[in-house]
Amino acid sequence: MNKLKSIFTYLILSVAALVSLFPFLWMLISMTNKSVDITQGSLMPGTHLFENLRNLFENYNVGSALFNSFFIAIIATVLCLVISSLAGYGFEVYRSKGKDIVFTILLLSMMIPFAALMVPLFRLFGDISQVFPAIGVDTLYAVILPYVTTAFFVFFFRQNTKMFTKDLIEAGRIDGLSEIGIFFRIYMPSMKNTLAAAGIISFMNNWNNYLWPLVIIQSPENQTIPLLISNLGSGYTPDYGVIYTAIVIGTIPTALVFFFLQRYFVEGMTGSVKG
Amino acid sequence: MKLASNKSLIGWFFILIAVIFITLFYFYPMLQALILSFRSGMGVNLEFVGLDNYIRLFNDPVALTAIRNTFIYLIIQVPIMILLAMFFSVLLNNPNLKFKGFFRTAIFLPAVISLVAYSVIFKYLFSTDGIVNKFLLNLSVISEPIEWLMDPFWAKVLIIIAITWRWTGYNMIFYLAALQNVDKSVYEAARIDGANSFQQFFYITIPMLKPIILFTAITSTIGTLQLFDEPMNITRGGPGNETLTISQYIYNLSFEYTPDFGYAAAVSFVIVILTVIFSMIQFRLGGDRK
């Protein structure tokens, strides 16, 4: 009976693992094949990788899409870490009745679906364009700005600040550090794990964001990787080899982040549920 | 006392930037959306029309189709995914299991790829002459290829398969983390009392995981109500709006057809209201006997 159960367990998990991994294997194999071989369902690696890469970089602007995606994801993540941790720290360390009410109101913004925001945001950036075209419609900054702080990250930092030893703050004050000095020189260095976890989540969200860039970006040179992949995929005569190559290139950064920082990633995901 | 109130004032400066950003990019647009939803017109010329947009909504067959489709995804996909995630996490929690790390990473890996990227992959995998049909034909499960992208029924099935593939491993991680906190002696006691695996799962595991079930149910529900990337990139909402979601319809109303921002804003309040209702129901069901 026990043996049967164990065979059953391995069988189920193997099928689940195979189903989960197959699309990844498929895209890795297909990026080395010609379009014709891919349509025939070839499961053998081919010799067309460099051809696909050259085609992609020469004809489809993947270089600028990569740059744009990195620019957006890195700037948004850095700003998000600083602003959200300041707020999470402020709410927890300088706790007061007024701030608790503000915190609760901020949390309500997590319930607002993006679909309800996209039209007013688009119009807002239209207005901004009249005054500051450099951060208005069809700029990378317009993609970044709405994601610079979200209530989720403020909440996340507040939860994690609860575990920060408050005695260190007193010690800093006795040493004559200013309040902001305590934040940057004592608090930040001791929150490396939390910063890493929040940083990964923010980077991935911004790297993979699709709907908002689709709304706000118009010119091809401002395209991000998801927009490029989406455009390649909706073409009438798709070159499958090129498309799979673009998908692999677009997935490498998040996959690397995941493999190297897996521990923080899982900690960050589950840490936000606790408490 | 003076020092304390001084500290409290400094605290406001710490939270100020975040409050400004969230107000400007969440609360202000939300208010604008509400005002917009009472106005109508093409492009920039909008006039006050009262509740006309909301009345139009209930007589708009496309809007009703989008709402129906979103409900179908929600009611079928979310329970399947949550049960699968729980099931895998229980299998992986077995202390004698070998290759645990491999299985866990493999099942989680879909959560790493972007929604657009996997949507495009799925569109090709499930095309009429795609590899999934070839595989099913070879196994003689089907005698002719399934029109995954062209058939109203199978197109919905495909969207459900796709979302389940992408999010099951992600949700599983929450259950795994929670299971590690469950006291093993509870299961020991149940086994001595003669409880089989199914009874242990339904009478111990599920009640213990209730807070996490609530959390994953709410986040998945909110996610599904906002579903956009997948139908946009796999089926384009087709065939004939049969996979169209509410978010996608709002996008089309605003940016694909002649823009009618007022009506689009009214449709977006359907998602807002549904999000609030579903969250409240789930809190009621899951929150009280914690």
Side-chain angles (χ1 to χ4, degrees):
Chain A
M1 181 61 203
N2 231 337
K3 193 158 187 188
L4 198 75
K5 212 166 104 185
S6 135
I7 291 172
F8 174 77
T9 302
Y10 283 107
L11 192 71
I12 296 272
L13 287 176
S14 303
V15 171
L18 188 70
V19 170
S20 299
L21 292 178
F22 181 75
F24 289 96
L25 296 175
W26 173 250
M27 75 180 186
L28 286 171
I29 292 168
S30 297
M31 81 183 285
T32 67
N33 277 321
K34 268 193 243 176
S35 209
V36 196
D37 299 328
I38 297 167
T39 22
Q40 278 162 9
S42 167
L43 287 170
M44 281 304 183
T47 53
H48 221 65
L49 175 62
F50 288 101
E51 194 64 33
N52 286 335
L53 275 171
R54 214 191 56 205
N55 200 342
L56 181 66
F57 275 88
E58 276 178 6
N59 301 329
Y60 296 99
N61 248 336
V62 76
S64 78
L66 271 174
F67 172 83
N68 294 338
S69 278
F70 269 113
F71 183 85
I72 288 166
I74 290 170
I75 304 265
T77 300
V78 171
L79 288 174
C80 169
L81 290 183
V82 175
I83 297 172
S84 311
S85 62
L86 270 172
Y89 180 88
F91 278 120
E92 186 60 27
V93 172
Y94 305 102
R95 200 167 174 184
S96 69
K97 219 175 204 158
K99 289 191 199 82
D100 279 354
I101 294 168
V102 172
F103 183 73
T104 312
I105 296 171
L106 288 191
L107 284 189
L108 285 179
S109 73
M110 291 209 280
M111 297 278 278
I112 303 176
F114 188 77
L117 296 177
M118 71 183 164
V119 169
L121 273 180
F122 178 71
R123 285 161 55 100
L124 175 66
F125 277 94
D127 293 341
I128 293 175
S129 289
Q130 309 286 322
V131 196
F132 304 111
I135 59 166
V137 175
D138 197 21
T139 63
L140 301 184
Y141 297 102
V143 179
I144 294 171
L145 280 168
Y147 293 92
V148 156
T149 335
T150 65
F152 168 78
F153 286 104
V154 175
F155 173 76
F156 182 70
F157 275 103
R158 184 181 189 170
Q159 288 303 109
N160 283 286
T161 306
K162 288 185 202 285
M163 285 174 272
F164 174 69
T165 326
K166 305 290 184 302
D167 292 348
L168 290 174
I169 299 171
E170 276 314 313
R173 283 178 188 150
I174 292 164
D175 285 348
L177 280 174
S178 66
E179 295 296 307
I180 195 78
I182 293 170
F183 174 81
F184 279 111
R185 294 165 73 172
I186 299 176
Y187 173 79
M188 285 295 240
S190 73
M191 298 298 280
K192 276 187 195 125
N193 286 5
T194 307
L195 287 166
I200 294 161
I201 298 171
S202 173
F203 182 87
M204 290 219 172
N205 288 348
N206 283 294
W207 183 270
N208 292 334
N209 195 4
Y210 172 61
L211 178 50
W212 177 235
L214 180 67
V215 168
I216 203 76
I217 292 296
Q218 286 150 2
S219 39
E221 66 268 21
N222 288 333
Q223 267 192 104
T224 60
I225 287 285
L227 292 181
L228 180 88
I229 292 173
S230 177
N231 284 343
L232 287 174
S234 59
Y236 285 108
T237 47
D239 183 330
Y240 296 108
V242 169
I243 295 170
Y244 283 113
T245 310
I247 292 176
V248 172
I249 289 176
T251 308
I252 287 172
T254 50
L256 286 180
V257 164
F258 167 70
F259 278 111
F260 284 105
L261 302 165
Q262 201 181 120
R263 186 168 64 88
Y264 300 110
F265 189 81
V266 172
E267 219 169 81
M269 275 174 58
T270 51
S272 56
V273 195
K274 278 183 227 147
Chain B
M1 188 59 212
K2 189 160 178 265
L3 191 74
S5 68
N6 200 0
K7 289 268 147 63
S8 178
L9 191 67
I10 292 172
W12 286 104
F13 284 102
F14 276 82
I15 65 179
L16 189 65
I17 310 175
V19 170
I20 291 173
F21 269 99
I22 292 173
T23 307
L24 185 62
F25 294 117
Y26 288 85
F27 293 120
Y28 171 71
M30 190 65 200
L31 189 69
Q32 287 293 317
L34 186 65
I35 297 168
L36 263 177
S37 75
F38 297 114
R39 302 172 64 174
S40 185
M42 297 301 168
V44 269
N45 301 318
L46 296 170
E47 56 184 65
F48 184 79
V49 293
L51 289 173
D52 280 9
N53 285 327
Y54 290 95
I55 295 164
R56 178 179 163 193
L57 173 63
F58 287 103
N59 297 307
D60 175 358
V62 183
L64 296 179
T65 306
I67 294 170
R68 186 201 65 194
N69 293 341
T70 307
F71 264 92
I72 292 174
Y73 298 141
L74 190 70
I75 290 163
I76 298 175
Q77 195 271 332
V78 174
I80 291 178
M81 177 184 64
I82 286 179
L83 280 175
L84 268 180
M86 245 191 299
F87 181 53
F88 291 150
S89 69
V90 169
L91 293 184
L92 282 174
N93 200 43
N94 178 351
N96 303 319
L97 187 75
K98 292 189 185 92
F99 313 115
K100 191 182 292 182
F102 166 75
F103 286 130
R104 192 185 54 217
T105 307
I107 298 173
F108 178 75
L109 207 59
V112 170
I113 195 167
S114 85
L115 301 183
V116 173
Y118 96 84
S119 297
V120 172
I121 297 177
F122 268 65
K123 179 169 92 176
Y124 296 144
L125 287 177
F126 284 84
S127 65
T128 308
D129 56 357
I131 195 147
V132 171
N133 270 335
K134 286 201 174 91
F135 178 72
L136 293 176
L137 283 169
N138 279 342
L139 283 183
S140 302
V141 179
I142 50 175
S143 54
E144 53 188 287
I146 296 175
E147 298 273 0
W148 295 99
L149 300 165
M150 295 302 167
D151 182 274
F153 171 76
W154 291 110
K156 288 192 194 73
V157 173
L158 171 55
I159 299 282
I160 289 171
I161 292 175
I163 311 169
T164 308
W165 178 83
R166 174 64 169 71
W167 293 102
T168 301
Y170 175 85
N171 285 297
M172 179 189 79
I173 296 294
F174 294 103
Y175 292 109
L176 268 178
L179 281 176
Q180 271 151 22
N181 301 327
V182 174
D183 193 353
K184 301 268 185 304
S185 62
V186 181
Y187 289 99
E188 211 57 59
R191 221 167 297 147
I192 292 165
D193 288 347
N196 64 33
S197 299
F198 282 101
Q199 287 167 326
Q200 287 175 32
F201 182 72
F202 283 107
Y203 293 108
I204 303 176
T205 311
I206 289 188
M208 291 253 204
L209 290 178
K210 210 163 183 183
I212 306 294
I213 296 173
L214 181 66
F215 170 81
T216 50
I218 289 178
T219 50
S220 308
T221 301
I222 294 176
T224 308
L225 285 174
Q226 304 193 41
L227 198 66
F228 178 82
D229 298 19
E230 290 88 347
M232 186 73 179
N233 286 291
I234 300 177
T235 56
R236 286 262 142 188
N241 294 332
E242 281 298 319
T243 57
L244 187 80
T245 60
I246 308 175
S247 284
Q248 211 183 347
Y249 188 46
I250 297 166
Y251 177 82
N252 289 346
L253 282 173
S254 314
F255 304 107
E256 295 270 294
Y257 315 149
T258 318
D260 186 345
F261 290 145
Y263 183 52
V267 178
S268 76
F269 269 86
V270 174
I271 304 187
V272 176
I273 292 163
L274 289 176
T275 305
V276 173
I277 292 175
F278 274 105
S279 303
M280 272 170 23
I281 293 174
Q282 283 162 346
F283 264 111
R284 269 287 159 77
L285 291 177
D288 51 358
R289 281 160 292 163
K290 200 172 159 184

